[in-house]
Amino acid sequence: MGVDWTKLPPELLESISENLKLYTDYLSFRAVCRSWRSSTPKTPSHLPPQLPWLMLPPSQSYQSHRAFYDLSTNKLRFLSLPESSNPNKRHCGSSHGWLVVLDESPSILLLNPLSRAKLHLPSLSSFPNVHSFNYSHIGKEYSLRSPSGDLYTRNLRQMRDSIKKIVLSVNPSKELRFVAIAILNQTGELVYCKNGDDSWRFIPGAQSYSEDVIYCEGLFYAVDKHGGIAICDVRDDSPKVSIVQTRTQLDGDMQYLINSGDELLLITRHLDLEFSFEPHQSYLVYRTKRFEVSRLVWSGPHWERVKSLYDKMVFIGENSSLSLSASDFTGCMGNCIYFTDDYSESNYDGSLGEHDIGIYKLWDGSIEPLPCYPRNSFFRMGWPTPLWVTPTPC
């Protein structure tokens, strides 16, 4: 006589489910039968950091669902995301599973694609460099003050595009006292707000440390073009900034910070210009040529070149940069950098161009295209570049 698996005790089913580490496995477990589903919470709270999914551009305007590519299964997963269906909207980062969505209004929306939870950050018009905002001043809605004190104007789209990336300290669903930091494109300044604030504030002394920002153990770390580090403590009302001047001055086009275990890593991206041809037209496009990895040696301090990431893989782009162990997931390769295009104006400005995206293999310097996004994939409608989003059910 066979075993009736639907009759397993609820406490045993709950214990088994709490040992599942992947969100997709948890979903499959609950899908077995009604008994298994009723014995486990719909939203798991025990899961470790998950493998990011790659949010792909929509195939047409005002499409309510978006495709997310799952590396571990080599499949597409579709989620309802009407908030990003408008071509005028722009994603300005993903952090702890939450998308940052901007449009041609002052609103800044935080959205969890899985749970559908939403929060609003203080508006763009509350940024400390905004002198005034008026919808009736068409084409010059924002009046801004430069670091030197001069006034200048920006329209709605220009203000939307003035934010390079927004990074969160923690998952807002698990900690309401979260902090957000925004990197300003043109001035290289950092601004921050705490949940519940009405406006954003400058972080004095951190200007030009605007290549990337990460959060680690209560502090934000920001990096400049040459590998200098600003450690920002915004827990009190008066931010404190400590500058770490490294002996090693790094060259490269872009820098990314990674918290990898007990080490602070720096990923340096080198770009080159290439011709991209289409019938009747040709285009100059930026293309990633190589990456270099360094780790911060605090005695000195200096950056030390890293030849191998071993089992680690890193994910960089407009997302909050992160590192994971490849052995924890199927379908992934260690010692690799999974990268997206986060520098080209064609990301969101309607220009024709090929997104620079792929898998960089550190051991031989080769670049492998992602299966869902082969080279020579052109998007003409001004949709944002693909974006890594960590599935976070709560």
Side-chain angles (χ1 to χ4, degrees), residues 132-374:
S132 64
F133 170 76
N134 194 325
Y135 267 123
S136 65
H137 296 166
I138 299 174
K140 298 180 179 180
E141 290 84 356
Y142 289 90
S143 174
L144 305 180
R145 190 177 299 278
S146 71
S148 62
D150 297 327
L151 292 178
Y152 61 101
T153 60
R154 287 290 181 266
N155 62 32
L156 296 173
R157 172 165 289 202
Q158 289 170 332
M159 190 64 185
R160 179 202 70 178
D161 297 346
S162 69
I163 313 303
K164 179 178 179 179
K165 179 191 286 190
I166 293 178
V167 175
L168 306 179
S169 59
V170 292
N171 179 354
S173 295
K174 295 184 176 181
E175 176 55 75
L176 285 176
R177 293 180 298 177
F178 69 90
V179 180
I181 280 191
I183 303 173
L184 305 189
N185 260 327
Q186 293 182 332
T187 63
E189 293 170 298
L190 301 181
V191 297
Y192 79 102
C193 69
K194 299 177 182 179
N195 187 32
D197 286 351
D198 295 325
S199 61
W200 297 77
R201 288 177 281 178
F202 282 125
I203 300 179
Q207 187 174 3
S208 81
Y209 291 85
S210 55
E211 285 291 292
D212 196 16
V213 175
I214 62 169
Y215 181 81
C216 180
E217 297 181 355
L219 301 170
F220 285 94
Y221 292 76
V223 63
D224 69 8
K225 200 77 171 176
H226 303 291
I229 300 292
I231 303 175
C232 307
D233 185 347
V234 296
R235 288 173 288 190
D236 297 330
D237 290 337
S238 298
K240 301 178 182 65
V241 177
S242 302
I243 303 299
V244 180
Q245 292 291 354
T246 57
R247 294 202 311 262
T248 313
Q249 293 291 300
L250 301 175
D251 294 323
D253 296 289
M254 303 184 73
Q255 310 284 1
Y256 304 85
L257 283 175
I258 307 283
N259 176 29
S260 182
D262 58 354
E263 289 190 320
L264 186 64
L265 300 181
L266 185 69
I267 310 295
T268 302
R269 187 173 189 165
H270 295 266
L271 305 173
D272 200 3
L273 276 173
E274 291 185 359
F275 275 104
S276 188
F277 296 95
E278 255 206 315
H280 314 299
Q281 298 183 78
S282 62
Y283 300 88
L284 269 176
V285 295
Y286 282 100
R287 176 84 74 194
T288 295
K289 303 305 293 183
R290 71 182 192 278
F291 288 94
E292 293 170 351
V293 181
S294 307
R295 71 179 186 93
L296 185 60
V297 179
W298 290 96
S299 58
H302 65 280
W303 291 106
E304 180 180 82
R305 184 67 55 83
V306 173
K307 297 298 183 182
S308 176
L309 291 170
Y310 300 100
D311 181 50
K312 296 292 185 181
M313 52 184 178
V314 298
F315 295 83
I316 60 173
E318 284 191 332
N319 59 293
S320 293
S321 309
L322 77 156
S323 167
L324 295 169
S325 293
S327 57
D328 290 340
F329 307 95
T330 59
C332 301
M333 294 183 291
N335 201 22
C336 285
I337 298 169
Y338 290 75
F339 65 94
T340 62
D341 174 356
D342 62 333
Y343 55 82
S344 172
E345 290 183 359
S346 64
N347 288 358
Y348 45 82
D349 204 27
S351 303
L352 176 62
E354 180 182 1
H355 290 313
D356 183 14
I357 180 171
I359 307 169
Y360 182 82
K361 299 176 180 178
L362 204 59
W363 64 88
D364 65 3
S366 64
I367 295 177
E368 176 182 318
L370 286 162
C372 64
Y373 214 89

Side-chain angles (χ1 to χ4, degrees), residues 88-90 101-108 124 156-157 159-160:
N88 291 327
K89 293 184 181 292
R90 177 195 164 209
V101 184
L102 304 179
D103 61 16
E104 294 181 13
S105 78
S107 173
I108 303 177
L124 291 174
L156 296 173
R157 172 165 289 202
M159 190 64 185
R160 179 202 70 178

